[in-house]
Amino acid sequence: MMRTDSALIQRYTCSDRVNHWVVAITFILAALSGLALFDPIFFWLTNLFGGGPWTRIVHPYIGLLMFILFIGMALRFWSSNHLTAADRQWMKQWRDVIGKHEENLPQVGKYNAGQKYVFWILVITLPLLLLTGLIMWQPWFAPYFSIGLLRLATVVHALAAFCVIALIMVHIYAAIWVKGSVRAMTRGTVTAAWAKQHHAAWHNEISKGAK
Amino acid sequence: MALQSLDIKARSATTTPSPSVRETLKVAKLIDISTCIGCKACQVACMEWNDVRDKIGTNVGVYDNPPDLTEDSWTVMRFSEVEVQAGKLEWLIRKDGCMHCAEPGCLKACPSPGAIVQYSNGIVDFHEEHCIGCGYCITGCPFNIPRISKKDGKAYKCSLCSDRVAVGLEPACVKTCPTGAIVFGSKDDMIRHADLRIIDLKQRGYSNAGLYDPPGVGGTHVMYVLQHADMPEIYHGLPKNPTINPMVSLWKGIAKPLMSWGLGLVALAGFFHYVTVGPNEVKEEEET
């Protein structure tokens, strides 16, 4: 039997999707409440959380919850995110990536190099945010640490948060930009044409398996 | 606890000018360590005037009582037994509390608009109603002064009796000091007063006597006369050259604007990429 290009391919299971979206929701809440406390130009965001004190109170709990939920996602997607030589080539040709010249790029497996970097940067920064966040956490843990460590933790927390927020903005944009991607994470499926164009190696692998 | 005021020089997390039509004289409290007898009357006056009472603690083997600043104890006498020269023990007693920096690290670090204000007279005051309890003032302070209350999650510290000073009175600790070791007035007058004390101390053999008004924080509105101004650390770790810590400057001075603009740029870059390059759609016609 011929597989048709209009056929839908399963990309994420139901539990993959739920895991992704609970992390996404907690991430957005953590980012908004964190930005509110980071720069006064964002202080108005505290209104979303019931004022300054509430923002300060809930932010660490949201962050902790996000981290716990992210562990599931990290384990789930770990094995699909090993970086390869083809990925390095893909990154080198970033002009072709943003210029929509996918035909010039090496064949992409389940994830392209950009997606893999999103994964690994999260794997590095989220534990860093958790660790520094615990050190800063008033009133529970901060009093047990020296002021020197508190200052270092605050700077590292801000830097890591900046990296991860910028990263997720790129991640969200990429999902909007590459049409047909959002449905992968909302409905679980992509079209075969989408898979062929953006993740040809993955498409081949799946087609082989299906035959 | 800050009062509404028309002479606000700086306000936390605020970029537009604050009410500042009224200009006031720069004030200072001068603490002469060489005439302090460690009676703690200032501690009592502080808790009486501000109407806060610390819990009765336990003796920790030193005269410091309570052993540290707390949300209820805004000033604490720090007793140090120091052998400045071999065989010559000195009992140095320093009244610890907020130094009211001209460049306050707490105010720089505070994320909540108006939770910390600095009046034109130099007093740095916490407005606890606006405090969110994040502890950034502790992170920013070069002198380890603010304390967060376990009861209400707000930060507290010496207000230099801003309420008394606002109506022309001296701070409660100054009023009560039985030896005149604490004096209050215009900063210029206090520096002159200190000069006389330093001359006297030098005549008595304290050749390194001097004024502690550290320039690293723009000077302070609480100053010390030290018998050994060359070694402020011996006074229970009084920092030699306090500054707003480089980490705090990196965080609030560089990282904050750079990152906020950075995130704005990322958003704009995405938007204009979409507008110029267009969406990445599936090119291949779907065939059957």
Side-chain angles (χ1 to χ4, degrees):
Chain A
M1 195 192 97
M2 278 283 292
R3 282 180 60 88
T4 59
D5 282 344
S6 59
L8 294 176
I9 300 174
Q10 180 85 23
R11 188 160 165 86
Y12 292 112
T13 65
C14 180
S15 87
D16 287 343
R17 291 178 338 249
V18 169
N19 199 164
H20 171 269
W21 287 111
V22 289
V23 172
I25 291 166
T26 49
F27 177 85
I28 286 168
L29 293 175
L32 293 177
S33 54
L35 283 172
L37 303 179
F38 173 61
D39 187 332
I41 68 168
F42 297 121
F43 191 77
W44 57 275
L45 290 169
T46 56
N47 292 319
L48 301 175
F49 299 88
W54 270 119
T55 306
R56 185 267 303 168
I57 292 165
V58 298
H59 174 81
Y61 290 104
I62 297 170
L64 183 62
L65 185 62
M66 171 180 68
F67 184 82
I68 293 167
L69 296 170
F70 178 76
I71 294 173
M73 231 164 92
L75 295 175
R76 213 176 270 273
F77 299 136
W78 192 281
S79 59
S80 326
N81 279 284
H82 295 305
L83 286 157
T84 63
D87 289 324
R88 276 182 280 278
Q89 183 57 34
W90 190 94
M91 283 307 272
K92 262 188 214 153
Q93 287 176 248
W94 61 273
R95 279 171 223 276
D96 287 328
V97 174
I98 63 167
K100 294 196 294 191
H101 301 297
E102 280 166 289
E103 61 281 4
N104 301 339
L105 294 166
Q107 287 207 334
V108 171
K110 180 151 190 191
Y111 296 116
N112 64 42
Q115 292 171 302
K116 289 178 181 177
Y117 277 110
V118 168
F119 180 82
W120 291 114
I121 293 172
L122 285 171
V123 165
I124 294 163
T125 50
L126 291 195
L128 205 58
L129 284 165
L130 176 78
L131 190 72
T132 53
L134 286 175
I135 294 171
M136 294 163 73
W137 196 339
Q138 289 282 3
W140 309 121
F141 305 116
Y144 298 104
F145 296 98
S146 74
I147 287 177
L149 192 60
L150 221 56
R151 287 173 180 149
L152 181 67
T154 307
V155 174
V156 173
H157 197 79
L159 278 168
F162 168 72
C163 292
V164 78
I165 293 170
L167 183 83
I168 294 302
M169 285 168 76
V170 172
H171 174 65
I172 293 169
Y173 174 69
I176 296 168
W177 178 53
V178 181
K179 294 298 168 197
S181 304
V182 173
R183 67 170 295 157
M185 211 30 114
T186 50
R187 297 158 71 181
T189 52
V190 291
T191 63
W194 182 94
K196 256 190 193 171
Q197 181 171 326
H198 302 302
H199 298 273
W202 177 63
H203 181 255
N204 288 341
E205 204 178 299
I206 296 238
S207 309
K208 255 183 247 159
K211 268 170 200 167
Chain B
M1 173 65 202
L3 301 168
Q4 191 191 355
S5 187
L6 302 178
D7 52 333
I8 294 171
K9 189 178 158 202
R11 188 174 183 270
S12 58
T14 305
T15 44
T16 52
S18 297
S20 53
V21 284
R22 186 193 295 149
E23 266 292 323
T24 47
L25 189 70
K26 285 210 174 359
V27 297
K29 179 166 83 179
L30 180 69
I31 302 166
D32 180 1
I33 290 182
S34 68
T35 47
C36 172
I37 56 170
C39 68
K40 299 177 187 160
C42 52
Q43 284 184 218
V44 175
C46 178
M47 60 190 258
E48 281 200 341
W49 174 260
N50 294 297
D51 213 1
V52 284
R53 298 289 184 277
D54 214 333
K55 283 174 284 295
I56 295 173
T58 47
N59 189 303
V60 294
V62 289
Y63 280 85
D64 304 32
N65 175 26
D68 193 14
L69 296 166
T70 71
E71 62 271 30
D72 296 312
S73 297
W74 301 348
T75 185
V76 165
M77 308 307 293
R78 306 285 199 178
F79 294 78
S80 306
E81 291 169 37
V82 184
E83 225 177 297
V84 182
Q85 297 160 29
K88 185 172 177 285
L89 185 78
E90 286 190 47
W91 208 19
L92 305 172
I93 308 162
R94 177 167 71 87
K95 179 189 184 306
D96 196 8
C98 177
M99 299 296 286
H100 298 272
C101 306
E103 287 158 20
C106 57
L107 193 149
K108 186 171 183 171
C110 176
S112 181
I116 305 180
V117 294
Q118 182 184 38
Y119 304 112
S120 61
N121 65 11
I123 295 178
V124 179
D125 216 355
F126 283 8
H127 208 324
E128 277 81 6
E129 279 176 55
H130 295 161
C131 174
I132 65 168
C134 64
Y136 289 177
C137 51
I138 297 170
T139 308
C141 176
F143 294 97
N144 185 20
I145 301 298
R147 296 289 184 272
I148 292 187
S149 164
K150 273 138 312 273
K151 194 164 120 195
D152 60 18
K154 308 290 181 195
Y156 292 92
K157 69 161 189 72
C158 160
S159 66
L160 205 63
C161 285
S162 59
D163 48 352
R164 292 175 58 91
V165 174
V167 294
L169 298 172
E170 73 278 62
C173 57
V174 178
K175 182 160 176 86
T176 204
C177 180
T179 66
I182 319 175
V183 286
F184 180 81
S186 77
K187 178 147 181 176
D188 291 342
D189 282 350
M190 292 305 103
I191 291 171
R192 271 194 290 275
H193 184 90
D195 287 344
L196 295 174
R197 287 298 307 137
I198 291 159
I199 290 167
D200 181 59
L201 283 168
K202 283 188 173 166
Q203 281 168 354
R204 289 159 185 261
Y206 292 102
S207 57
N208 293 314
L211 178 67
Y212 187 81
D213 179 21
V217 289
T220 53
H221 292 270
V222 170
M223 305 183 293
Y224 292 113
V225 171
L226 304 177
Q227 305 96 317
H228 309 285
D230 55 326
M231 297 182 286
E233 303 92 338
I234 63 173
Y235 297 86
H236 201 278
L238 186 63
K240 184 152 197 167
N241 182 25
T243 54
I244 294 180
N245 189 272
M247 288 282 176
V248 177
S249 303
L250 176 68
W251 168 42
K252 284 288 173 174
I254 301 168
K256 184 186 78 177
L258 226 57
M259 291 182 190
S260 297
W261 282 103
L263 293 181
L265 277 177
V266 171
L268 279 176
F271 179 74
F272 282 101
H273 178 255
Y274 197 91
V275 168
T276 52
V277 178
N280 188 347
E281 284 168 317
V282 175
K283 287 169 198 158
E284 197 176 325
E285 286 297 312
E286 292 195 355
E287 301 153 5
T288 47

